[in-house]
Amino acid sequence: MLFRSEVRTPGRDHPISITDAGATVRVSVKDRVVAESSHALRLEEKGYPPVYYIPREDADMSLLVRTTHYTYCPYKGDCTYYSIPMGGAKSEFAVWTYEEPYEAVARIKDHLAFYPARVDAIEVIS
């Protein structure tokens, strides 16, 4: 573990909910599909826009390069990042993942999330 200091549990003051997306979620960069899944999760956290987490198995990991950048969230745990080189500078640190998330958000383990501004599209297809 990298930064573990304060651990917080989601609750009334800071709710976090994780549900099935109920749709196919597709992420693309430079007209290439980087990830597409009908098993994506939708995470909603107070103070942030909803985020789609796509299973790693539904991403083309050959298009991603792991970085040495790390952050910490007291509600989710240690976070690691990937860049998408074909997207150029815009797609640096475009992907994040919690490889060992805290128990309250364990469903996002083995999933990837994408910054909308660092990819060309995140489509939610009903």
Side-chain angles (χ1 to χ4, degrees):
M1 302 308 116
L2 302 171
F3 301 109
R4 294 191 196 259
S5 55
E6 181 180 8
V7 177
R8 296 184 184 168
T9 302
R12 273 188 302 182
D13 293 341
H14 192 94
I16 296 176
S17 66
I18 302 169
T19 57
D20 293 333
T24 297
V25 178
R26 179 185 302 140
V27 179
S28 58
V29 173
K30 299 290 184 192
D31 296 322
R32 294 264 319 256
V33 174
V34 176
E36 183 171 349
S37 182
S38 58
H39 301 290
L41 301 173
R42 179 182 164 108
L43 184 143
E44 294 185 55
E45 180 174 4
K46 182 180 181 178
Y48 298 96
V51 174
Y52 291 97
Y53 281 81
I54 296 176
R56 281 181 189 239
E57 64 193 29
D58 293 334
D60 186 344
M61 295 300 291
S62 71
L63 300 176
L64 309 181
V65 174
R66 189 180 181 107
T67 72
T68 57
H69 182 66
Y70 299 93
T71 59
Y72 175 74
C73 171
Y75 293 98
K76 295 183 219 84
D78 297 323
C79 186
T80 59
Y81 292 80
Y82 288 82
S83 291
I84 308 169
M86 70 183 173
K90 170 187 172 182
S91 294
E92 289 180 2
F93 311 113
V95 185
W96 75 91
T97 185
Y98 292 91
E99 294 176 339
E100 295 182 33
Y102 291 148
E103 187 176 333
V105 295
R107 287 187 70 190
I108 63 173
K109 182 176 176 61
D110 299 323
H111 286 66
L112 304 170
F114 297 80
Y115 284 106
R118 296 183 184 181
V119 297
D120 293 336
I122 299 176
E123 301 171 82
V124 181
I125 307 159
S126 299

